[in-house]
Amino acid sequence: MYFDITPDAEFTKTEKVPGPTKEEIRALVISKMRLSDKDIVVDIGCGTGGLTVEFAKRAKNVFSVDINPDAIKTTRTNLEKLGLENKVELIQEEGFQALDQIDDFTRIMIGGSNGNLDNIIEEAYIRLPVGGQIVITSIVLETATDSVRMLKDLGAEPEVVNLCVSKGVMLERGVMMKALNPITIITARKQ
Ligand SMILES: C[S@@+](CC[C@H](N)C(=O)[O-])C[C@H]1O[C@@H](n2cnc3c(N)ncnc32)[C@H](O)[C@@H]1O
């Protein structure tokens, strides 16, 4: 079982793709996903591959989806760098449409859903097996409130956690705490 989280600085980044989910946030997402090595994970909005690499270290296999071809390229680069490419199938597609191509997933992470959040959540939740887990990260408040509404409509009992992380910057006169963007994490277990 892996306990390490890959440091942010180890990821290859590109200007055209948002950077990896920060390592402290990734640590909590991994815990909320309740992953085992039997799980089949879908990562919608894989971006730089920050979460995909964490899932690949721990799960049986991973399907990573992004609408942006540069994100798929960047995620591939990061998987290869860490020797994890064999665990992951990359799909360049809109998240909702990609779900049609993926069978028997047991965990789903939604980290990007522009314009299609409701459809992705509904399709994902309905297809998860009982005990399966859905996790959504949001920087925009509306994504969080829409996710909660949608999950409640589907009969789930969502949990909501807001994470405000500050990191120390070493100055000559001391340590200055610098705040990162607050992230809301919504989690639900399929009932
Ligand atoms: C904040 S980034 C995710 C970062 C990623 N979790 C990581 O750790 O590297 C969001 C990503 O979602 C993708 N995205 C947004 N809407 C999407 C959709 N409807 N379908 C698929 N991907 C989408 C964007 O292209 C972007 O790469």
mmCIF file of all heavy atoms in Angstrom, residues 67-87:
data_model
loop_
_atom_site.group_PDB
_atom_site.id
_atom_site.type_symbol
_atom_site.label_atom_id
_atom_site.label_comp_id
_atom_site.label_asym_id
_atom_site.label_seq_id
_atom_site.Cartn_x
_atom_site.Cartn_y
_atom_site.Cartn_z
ATOM 1 N N ILE A 67 -11.161 16.818 -21.768
ATOM 2 C CA ILE A 67 -11.627 17.360 -23.039
ATOM 3 C C ILE A 67 -10.487 18.054 -23.789
ATOM 4 O O ILE A 67 -10.522 18.198 -25.010
ATOM 5 C CB ILE A 67 -12.801 18.330 -22.749
ATOM 6 C CG1 ILE A 67 -13.676 18.547 -23.960
ATOM 7 C CG2 ILE A 67 -12.330 19.623 -22.109
ATOM 8 C CD1 ILE A 67 -15.033 19.148 -23.616
ATOM 9 N N ASN A 68 -9.450 18.422 -23.045
ATOM 10 C CA ASN A 68 -8.334 19.197 -23.599
ATOM 11 C C ASN A 68 -7.177 18.260 -24.004
ATOM 12 O O ASN A 68 -6.605 17.581 -23.147
ATOM 13 C CB ASN A 68 -7.876 20.192 -22.519
ATOM 14 C CG ASN A 68 -6.666 21.002 -22.938
ATOM 15 O OD1 ASN A 68 -6.101 20.816 -24.018
ATOM 16 N ND2 ASN A 68 -6.240 21.907 -22.060
ATOM 17 N N PRO A 69 -6.821 18.212 -25.302
ATOM 18 C CA PRO A 69 -5.742 17.309 -25.730
ATOM 19 C C PRO A 69 -4.408 17.587 -25.033
ATOM 20 O O PRO A 69 -3.621 16.655 -24.795
ATOM 21 C CB PRO A 69 -5.625 17.566 -27.246
ATOM 22 C CG PRO A 69 -6.446 18.775 -27.538
ATOM 23 C CD PRO A 69 -7.411 18.968 -26.406
ATOM 24 N N ASP A 70 -4.157 18.837 -24.686
ATOM 25 C CA ASP A 70 -2.902 19.150 -23.972
ATOM 26 C C ASP A 70 -2.880 18.521 -22.577
ATOM 27 O O ASP A 70 -1.820 18.150 -22.062
ATOM 28 C CB ASP A 70 -2.705 20.667 -23.861
ATOM 29 C CG ASP A 70 -2.428 21.291 -25.215
ATOM 30 O OD1 ASP A 70 -1.569 20.760 -25.948
ATOM 31 O OD2 ASP A 70 -3.105 22.277 -25.555
ATOM 32 N N ALA A 71 -4.064 18.406 -21.976
ATOM 33 C CA ALA A 71 -4.139 17.776 -20.646
ATOM 34 C C ALA A 71 -3.817 16.283 -20.770
ATOM 35 O O ALA A 71 -3.083 15.728 -19.943
ATOM 36 C CB ALA A 71 -5.530 17.988 -20.048
ATOM 37 N N ILE A 72 -4.335 15.654 -21.810
ATOM 38 C CA ILE A 72 -4.059 14.220 -22.008
ATOM 39 C C ILE A 72 -2.556 14.006 -22.210
ATOM 40 O O ILE A 72 -1.948 13.107 -21.627
ATOM 41 C CB ILE A 72 -4.872 13.687 -23.221
ATOM 42 C CG1 ILE A 72 -6.383 13.765 -22.935
ATOM 43 C CG2 ILE A 72 -4.452 12.275 -23.618
ATOM 44 C CD1 ILE A 72 -6.876 12.858 -21.815
ATOM 45 N N LYS A 73 -1.959 14.892 -22.999
ATOM 46 C CA LYS A 73 -0.509 14.797 -23.272
ATOM 47 C C LYS A 73 0.292 14.981 -21.973
ATOM 48 O O LYS A 73 1.235 14.244 -21.700
ATOM 49 C CB LYS A 73 -0.130 15.895 -24.281
ATOM 50 C CG LYS A 73 0.811 15.436 -25.351
ATOM 51 C CD LYS A 73 0.719 16.280 -26.586
ATOM 52 C CE LYS A 73 1.748 17.367 -26.647
ATOM 53 N NZ LYS A 73 1.533 18.282 -27.776
ATOM 54 N N THR A 74 -0.107 15.971 -21.191
ATOM 55 C CA THR A 74 0.629 16.268 -19.952
ATOM 56 C C THR A 74 0.469 15.133 -18.940
ATOM 57 O O THR A 74 1.432 14.738 -18.269
ATOM 58 C CB THR A 74 0.131 17.603 -19.352
ATOM 59 O OG1 THR A 74 0.117 18.578 -20.378
ATOM 60 C CG2 THR A 74 1.032 18.076 -18.232
ATOM 61 N N THR A 75 -0.750 14.600 -18.851
ATOM 62 C CA THR A 75 -0.966 13.474 -17.926
ATOM 63 C C THR A 75 -0.108 12.281 -18.357
ATOM 64 O O THR A 75 0.538 11.628 -17.531
ATOM 65 C CB THR A 75 -2.471 13.093 -17.884
ATOM 66 O OG1 THR A 75 -3.205 14.192 -17.331
ATOM 67 C CG2 THR A 75 -2.719 11.855 -17.033
ATOM 68 N N ARG A 76 -0.056 12.023 -19.685
ATOM 69 C CA ARG A 76 0.770 10.903 -20.182
ATOM 70 C C ARG A 76 2.235 11.110 -19.778
ATOM 71 O O ARG A 76 2.906 10.190 -19.303
ATOM 72 C CB ARG A 76 0.634 10.761 -21.701
ATOM 73 C CG ARG A 76 1.446 9.585 -22.242
ATOM 74 C CD ARG A 76 1.275 9.355 -23.734
ATOM 75 N NE ARG A 76 -0.058 8.897 -24.062
ATOM 76 C CZ ARG A 76 -0.948 9.567 -24.790
ATOM 77 N NH1 ARG A 76 -0.626 10.743 -25.291
ATOM 78 N NH2 ARG A 76 -2.137 9.079 -25.040
ATOM 79 N N THR A 77 2.730 12.326 -19.981
ATOM 80 C CA THR A 77 4.130 12.627 -19.634
ATOM 81 C C THR A 77 4.389 12.330 -18.157
ATOM 82 O O THR A 77 5.407 11.717 -17.789
ATOM 83 C CB THR A 77 4.426 14.124 -19.914
ATOM 84 O OG1 THR A 77 4.171 14.368 -21.278
ATOM 85 C CG2 THR A 77 5.853 14.508 -19.566
ATOM 86 N N ASN A 78 3.459 12.748 -17.304
ATOM 87 C CA ASN A 78 3.683 12.548 -15.861
ATOM 88 C C ASN A 78 3.583 11.078 -15.457
ATOM 89 O O ASN A 78 4.334 10.611 -14.596
ATOM 90 C CB ASN A 78 2.722 13.436 -15.065
ATOM 91 C CG ASN A 78 3.230 14.872 -15.045
ATOM 92 O OD1 ASN A 78 4.403 15.119 -14.731
ATOM 93 N ND2 ASN A 78 2.379 15.815 -15.402
ATOM 94 N N LEU A 79 2.677 10.347 -16.117
ATOM 95 C CA LEU A 79 2.585 8.906 -15.829
ATOM 96 C C LEU A 79 3.876 8.201 -16.233
ATOM 97 O O LEU A 79 4.396 7.339 -15.509
ATOM 98 C CB LEU A 79 1.396 8.305 -16.580
ATOM 99 C CG LEU A 79 0.013 8.659 -16.011
ATOM 100 C CD1 LEU A 79 -1.084 8.316 -17.011
ATOM 101 C CD2 LEU A 79 -0.226 7.940 -14.683
ATOM 102 N N GLU A 80 4.406 8.570 -17.413
ATOM 103 C CA GLU A 80 5.640 7.926 -17.901
ATOM 104 C C GLU A 80 6.807 8.255 -16.974
ATOM 105 O O GLU A 80 7.635 7.394 -16.663
ATOM 106 C CB GLU A 80 5.922 8.367 -19.338
ATOM 107 C CG GLU A 80 4.990 7.663 -20.318
ATOM 108 C CD GLU A 80 5.041 8.222 -21.748
ATOM 109 O OE1 GLU A 80 5.779 9.191 -22.002
ATOM 110 O OE2 GLU A 80 4.302 7.688 -22.587
ATOM 111 N N LYS A 81 6.842 9.479 -16.514
ATOM 112 C CA LYS A 81 7.918 9.918 -15.615
ATOM 113 C C LYS A 81 7.940 9.059 -14.349
ATOM 114 O O LYS A 81 8.996 8.758 -13.806
ATOM 115 C CB LYS A 81 7.606 11.375 -15.228
ATOM 116 C CG LYS A 81 8.777 12.232 -14.905
ATOM 117 C CD LYS A 81 8.302 13.676 -14.869
ATOM 118 C CE LYS A 81 9.280 14.555 -14.170
ATOM 119 N NZ LYS A 81 8.804 15.945 -14.119
ATOM 120 N N LEU A 82 6.744 8.655 -13.899
ATOM 121 C CA LEU A 82 6.646 7.894 -12.648
ATOM 122 C C LEU A 82 6.474 6.388 -12.897
ATOM 123 O O LEU A 82 6.248 5.626 -11.960
ATOM 124 C CB LEU A 82 5.474 8.428 -11.813
ATOM 125 C CG LEU A 82 5.656 9.873 -11.331
ATOM 126 C CD1 LEU A 82 4.347 10.476 -10.852
ATOM 127 C CD2 LEU A 82 6.703 9.949 -10.231
ATOM 128 N N GLY A 83 6.563 5.972 -14.162
ATOM 129 C CA GLY A 83 6.465 4.539 -14.498
ATOM 130 C C GLY A 83 5.085 3.956 -14.243
ATOM 131 O O GLY A 83 4.948 2.772 -13.919
ATOM 132 N N LEU A 84 4.031 4.757 -14.406
ATOM 133 C CA LEU A 84 2.677 4.297 -14.082
ATOM 134 C C LEU A 84 1.774 4.183 -15.310
ATOM 135 O O LEU A 84 0.570 3.962 -15.180
ATOM 136 C CB LEU A 84 2.035 5.288 -13.080
ATOM 137 C CG LEU A 84 2.666 5.339 -11.689
ATOM 138 C CD1 LEU A 84 2.191 6.581 -10.935
ATOM 139 C CD2 LEU A 84 2.324 4.081 -10.907
ATOM 140 N N GLU A 85 2.355 4.351 -16.509
ATOM 141 C CA GLU A 85 1.519 4.442 -17.724
ATOM 142 C C GLU A 85 0.716 3.169 -18.002
ATOM 143 O O GLU A 85 -0.340 3.222 -18.609
ATOM 144 C CB GLU A 85 2.362 4.859 -18.939
ATOM 145 C CG GLU A 85 3.408 3.870 -19.419
ATOM 146 C CD GLU A 85 4.728 3.956 -18.662
ATOM 147 O OE1 GLU A 85 4.773 4.514 -17.551
ATOM 148 O OE2 GLU A 85 5.736 3.430 -19.191
ATOM 149 N N ASN A 86 1.208 2.006 -17.531
ATOM 150 C CA ASN A 86 0.490 0.752 -17.821
ATOM 151 C C ASN A 86 -0.809 0.606 -17.043
ATOM 152 O O ASN A 86 -1.640 -0.242 -17.357
ATOM 153 C CB ASN A 86 1.385 -0.454 -17.527
ATOM 154 C CG ASN A 86 2.561 -0.488 -18.491
ATOM 155 O OD1 ASN A 86 2.476 0.073 -19.587
ATOM 156 N ND2 ASN A 86 3.659 -1.095 -18.073
ATOM 157 N N LYS A 87 -0.973 1.414 -16.021
ATOM 158 C CA LYS A 87 -2.178 1.288 -15.186
ATOM 159 C C LYS A 87 -3.331 2.161 -15.684
ATOM 160 O O LYS A 87 -4.432 2.116 -15.145
ATOM 161 C CB LYS A 87 -1.845 1.735 -13.746
ATOM 162 C CG LYS A 87 -0.842 0.897 -13.018
ATOM 163 C CD LYS A 87 -1.400 -0.437 -12.552
ATOM 164 C CE LYS A 87 -2.272 -0.380 -11.344
ATOM 165 N NZ LYS A 87 -1.633 -0.070 -10.099
#
